Amino acid sequence: MKHTWLSMTILSLSLALLSGCQQQPAKKVTADKVEQVAALIASAEWLRDHCQRSDIPPRSVVEETATIMAKERGWNISGTFQQDVNNAVQRRYLAISKDTLVNNQKCVQLNQVAAPFIHQITALSASGK
């Protein structure tokens, strides 16, 4: 099976959403966790920019939601976390854009796997936090 950037993003999204059930003491955030958070943010941004998802709020709200989720999982997000995530988001967003699938197919796939995260984003945005 050919692994495209989109399929890798979808895998990272799935891991990020599934790992929400694992509460452990705060640990240094590893590169794979940075990539998971970046996948969530990049996917939400890409959906908003290319898939007529005007319900997805600005990046600051998306980042805040991802940060809250990371803290809820007990991740220690101090230090270079935000800069590392920003760099990874840029790479992932570009990779999704360059993926060979047509945009409509990207939208369908990203909408399916990002739905739980987008629900949390919109709920946070609606609550005014």
Side-chain angles (χ1 to χ4, degrees):
M1 177 180 177
K2 179 181 168 189
H3 293 289
T4 64
W5 275 101
L6 183 61
S7 65
M8 292 173 65
T9 296
I10 289 170
L11 176 61
S12 291
L13 274 169
S14 300
L15 290 172
L17 296 170
L18 289 174
S19 68
C21 300
Q22 301 172 355
Q23 292 282 346
Q24 298 178 1
K27 295 182 183 177
K28 181 175 176 5
V29 177
T30 58
D32 65 315
K33 288 183 173 44
V34 167
E35 290 298 324
Q36 289 174 20
V37 172
L40 293 171
I41 296 169
S43 296
E45 282 196 323
W46 205 91
L47 284 166
R48 184 188 60 238
D49 295 347
H50 299 280
C51 303
Q52 300 173 338
R53 291 294 308 264
S54 59
D55 60 315
I56 298 174
R59 181 174 179 158
S60 60
V61 176
V62 174
E63 286 177 352
E64 179 182 356
T65 304
T67 300
I68 289 169
M69 291 173 63
K71 287 179 182 177
E72 287 174 350
R73 286 163 177 73
W75 298 357
N76 180 0
I77 58 167
S78 59
T80 63
F81 174 78
Q82 200 60 49
Q83 184 59 46
D84 293 343
V85 168
N86 285 335
N87 292 338
V89 167
Q90 290 174 358
R91 285 191 312 271
R92 285 210 176 254
Y93 188 96
L94 184 60
I96 294 169
S97 295
K98 288 183 174 183
D99 192 273
T100 58
L101 285 177
V102 295
N103 281 1
N104 187 39
Q105 291 174 323
K106 292 179 202 180
C107 292
V108 168
Q109 290 184 13
L110 288 174
N111 270 312
Q112 289 174 346
V113 296
F117 178 61
I118 292 170
H119 176 73
Q120 288 185 325
I121 296 169
T122 55
L124 180 66
S125 181
S127 70
K129 290 188 178 180

